[in-house]
Amino acid sequence: MDDKSSGVAPMAVALPVLACITVILDIPPLVWHFKHRNLAATSLVFWVVLSNILSTVNALIWSTDDVSNWWPGLVLCDIEVKLLLATTVGIPGGLACIMRNLALVLASEGSYLVPTRAQRRKRMAFDFFLSIGIPIYIMAIHYVVQPSRYYIFQIAGCLPSADDSWPTVILVWIWPSVLCLICAYYSVLVILRMRKYRQEFSAILSSSGSNLTKSRFKRLFFMTMTLIAIVLPVQFYVLYRNVSFPLIPYDWNAIHGPMWGDVIMVPTGGVVRFDLWIQIAVGFALFVFFGIGKEALNMYRDWLLRFGFGAIFPRLQPVSTRIPSTASTTKGFFSSRARIYFSKRLSTDTVTASFRTNSESIYPSTPSPRELQKSFPLLGTISEHESNARPEASNRARSITDDEKASPAASAPKPVPLFVRIIGSLHMPTALAHISLQRPPGSEV
């Protein structure tokens, strides 16, 4: 062999690297949808991841054109060709399930607005049939039209073989295009219903019980529209190529004859089939729509915290569980103490000023005797009457005063009469505190 045939083609390096990166990027969306029991999205991501895993493995094993040194791929290729056929219908089947579920969510005129348990089971069974049931059917029915064990192409690796007869078109090749047409039908239906119920769009989503928000609904819709725009033309082109060959009559004995166990190896000169690049593009599109959303970012953070990266990057932890640094804690301590001190001083000054203002308004200055006489005319009458009393009364009062000096008990002030206390409390309670209600020394008892 020459150096060209024995060397590794550049595409044999680029393809597995890009496919492996796509697999790593699509694993978090796969885990997230599986955790939330979203069968349609889980099956879609699973088939895309599986197809890129197969591309990576095959490109690493059959990377050169040296057919003499190729491994025949026994058992491995027997499994791979069946899985590869399953991915051809699993990807459009998952897209059709997602678009159908979006259309049912917006079916406000029907009974799917708040689906019952039976309706949810029916929807789950339909999703299982499109995304998993039909792939299983394709893997099983392929044996009917399988003329040889499998093909092995450079870089592409294991590929299924099929007979050039009309049963092959009906049983195998037509199903990917049919599923793409189903997805396209539901896409048009979703567009019409979104336009019809654009005013009640948010209310329909919240009452549908589908756990879909407005942003998540639009993200699923645009993702499905983007992928179906890529997959639909490709599947129709593949169907056209498969039916373009002259069809021969079907013969079971000829197909499953002595040559059925042969492995056909085909060198390609480093050229890669275009559908392998389509699978990588679909994988990157899934990551763009599913892998950078808010839910995915929260899941990434939880994974990093679980592996202990929270101690290295404290910002990964939630805000409520972050431990502040020493400097910030000390600064907060002193600033809080200062705020408490000044707030206390401010509140004390405010209360003192308010007390003084209220004291001046409630407790006025001591009134003069003339003002007291104006406020209480009765007191003035009593004073004039007492000043004109008889001289005997003054003498008697003088003698009583001497007795009070002799006995301390007798010198105690006499209780204020009840009517005086009542009058004082009704007119001016603070002014009475400055009035001496004791009798003058010259008054009569």
Side-chain angles (χ1 to χ4, degrees):
M1 292 292 174
D2 54 359
D3 295 337
K4 184 178 179 180
S5 61
S6 61
V8 178
M11 294 300 177
V13 178
L15 181 69
V17 170
L18 294 177
C20 185
I21 293 175
T22 305
V23 170
I24 296 174
L25 293 178
D26 289 341
I27 287 179
L30 177 64
V31 174
W32 191 87
H33 286 291
F34 179 78
K35 181 179 179 181
H36 289 79
R37 299 180 180 179
N38 191 345
L39 177 60
T42 302
S43 63
L44 172 63
V45 181
F46 170 76
W47 292 121
V48 173
V49 169
L50 180 61
S51 62
N52 285 290
I53 290 176
L54 297 180
S55 298
T56 304
V57 174
N58 293 336
L60 294 176
I61 297 176
W62 296 281
S63 58
T64 66
D65 260 350
D66 190 3
V67 180
S68 60
N69 294 325
W70 278 5
W71 174 52
L74 301 178
V75 180
L76 175 64
C77 286
D78 292 329
I79 299 174
E80 280 195 7
V81 293
K82 302 299 181 181
L83 295 178
L84 184 60
L85 286 171
T87 59
T88 59
V89 291
I91 293 176
L95 293 174
C97 292
I98 293 176
M99 195 60 72
R100 178 178 179 270
N101 292 335
L102 296 181
L104 292 179
V105 168
L106 296 180
S108 61
E109 72 279 358
S111 59
Y112 281 95
L113 184 59
V114 182
T116 61
R117 179 177 298 180
Q119 290 173 343
R120 289 195 295 268
R121 290 179 179 175
K122 183 178 179 180
R123 181 184 301 182
M124 186 71 67
F126 191 85
D127 293 346
F128 184 87
F129 171 73
L130 286 184
S131 59
I132 300 178
I134 294 181
I136 294 176
Y137 157 79
I138 292 295
M139 289 190 293
I141 204 65
H142 174 246
Y143 178 77
V144 178
V145 294
Q146 185 179 1
S148 60
R149 193 165 183 175
Y150 49 80
Y151 295 102
I152 296 181
F153 283 71
Q154 181 193 7
I155 303 176
C158 309
L159 293 177
S161 62
D163 184 48
D164 296 331
S165 59
W166 64 267
T168 306
V169 178
I170 302 300
L171 297 178
V172 179
W173 299 138
I174 199 174
W175 285 103
S177 300
V178 170
L179 293 174
C180 288
L181 289 177
I182 294 175
C183 184
Y185 163 75
Y186 282 113
S187 301
V188 175
L189 191 61
V190 170
I191 293 174
L192 295 178
R193 289 179 177 177
M194 288 178 63
R195 185 175 181 180
K196 181 179 179 180
Y197 303 112
R198 58 182 179 272
Q199 301 295 336
E200 302 87 3
F201 184 70
S202 300
I204 292 175
L205 290 181
S206 60
S207 61
S208 62
S210 59
N211 206 14
L212 281 175
T213 61
K214 189 175 181 180
S215 61
R216 190 181 301 173
F217 182 94
K218 291 184 177 180
R219 188 164 65 246
L220 284 172
F221 174 73
F222 287 118
M223 182 272 300
T224 309
M225 289 293 295
T226 302
L227 296 184
I228 199 62
I230 299 174
V231 176
L232 182 62
V234 172
Q235 293 297 338
F236 272 100
Y237 176 74
V238 172
L239 178 63
Y240 167 75
R241 290 290 303 270
N242 290 329
V243 300
S244 61
F245 298 99
L247 299 180
I248 60 177
Y250 178 78
D251 186 356
W252 175 273
N253 294 326
I255 294 175
H256 301 88
M259 299 179 61
W260 185 89
D262 293 346
V263 176
I264 303 174
M265 300 182 181
V266 181
T268 61
V271 180
V272 180
R273 295 170 53 232
F274 73 95
D275 57 332
L276 301 180
W277 301 111
I278 298 296
Q279 297 170 0
I280 295 176
V282 171
F284 276 108
L286 288 178
F287 173 74
V288 170
F289 286 100
F290 286 151
I292 58 177
K294 182 179 179 180
E295 301 87 357
L297 295 178
N298 292 334
M299 185 177 64
Y300 300 153
R301 186 186 64 183
D302 294 339
W303 287 359
L304 292 176
L305 291 176
R306 187 174 301 176
F307 284 102
F309 284 91
I312 303 175
F313 305 100
R315 290 185 177 273
L316 292 175
Q317 299 180 0
V319 179
S320 58
T321 59
R322 292 180 187 173
I323 302 176
S325 60
T326 307
S328 60
T329 306
T330 308
K331 180 179 178 181
F333 172 77
F334 286 109
S335 60
S336 61
R337 292 298 296 266
R339 283 197 301 268
I340 293 173
Y341 173 76
F342 285 110
S343 62
K344 285 184 176 181
R345 289 292 303 271
L346 180 60
S347 60
T348 305
D349 297 341
T350 305
V351 171
T352 305
S354 176
F355 177 76
R356 290 177 179 176
T357 304
N358 296 335
S359 300
E360 292 176 358
S361 60
I362 298 176
Y363 302 102
S365 58
T366 304
S368 61
R370 188 177 298 276
E371 293 177 354
L372 289 176
Q373 186 175 359
K374 290 181 180 180
S375 301
F376 300 94
L378 180 62
L379 295 177
T381 306
I382 294 174
S383 300
E384 293 176 356
H385 179 73
E386 291 179 351
S387 61
N388 297 328
R390 292 175 299 177
E392 292 85 358
S394 60
N395 296 331
R396 187 181 303 172
R398 189 177 295 109
S399 62
I400 292 174
T401 303
D402 297 336
D403 296 336
E404 290 176 354
K405 290 180 182 180
S407 61
S411 63
K414 295 184 178 181
V416 181
L418 179 61
F419 76 94
V420 176
R421 286 183 288 174
I422 295 176
I423 293 175
S425 62
L426 291 176
H427 292 277
M428 190 176 295
T430 56
L432 292 178
H434 302 279
I435 301 175
S436 178
L437 296 180
Q438 296 181 2
R439 294 180 176 82
S443 61
E444 183 180 1
V445 179

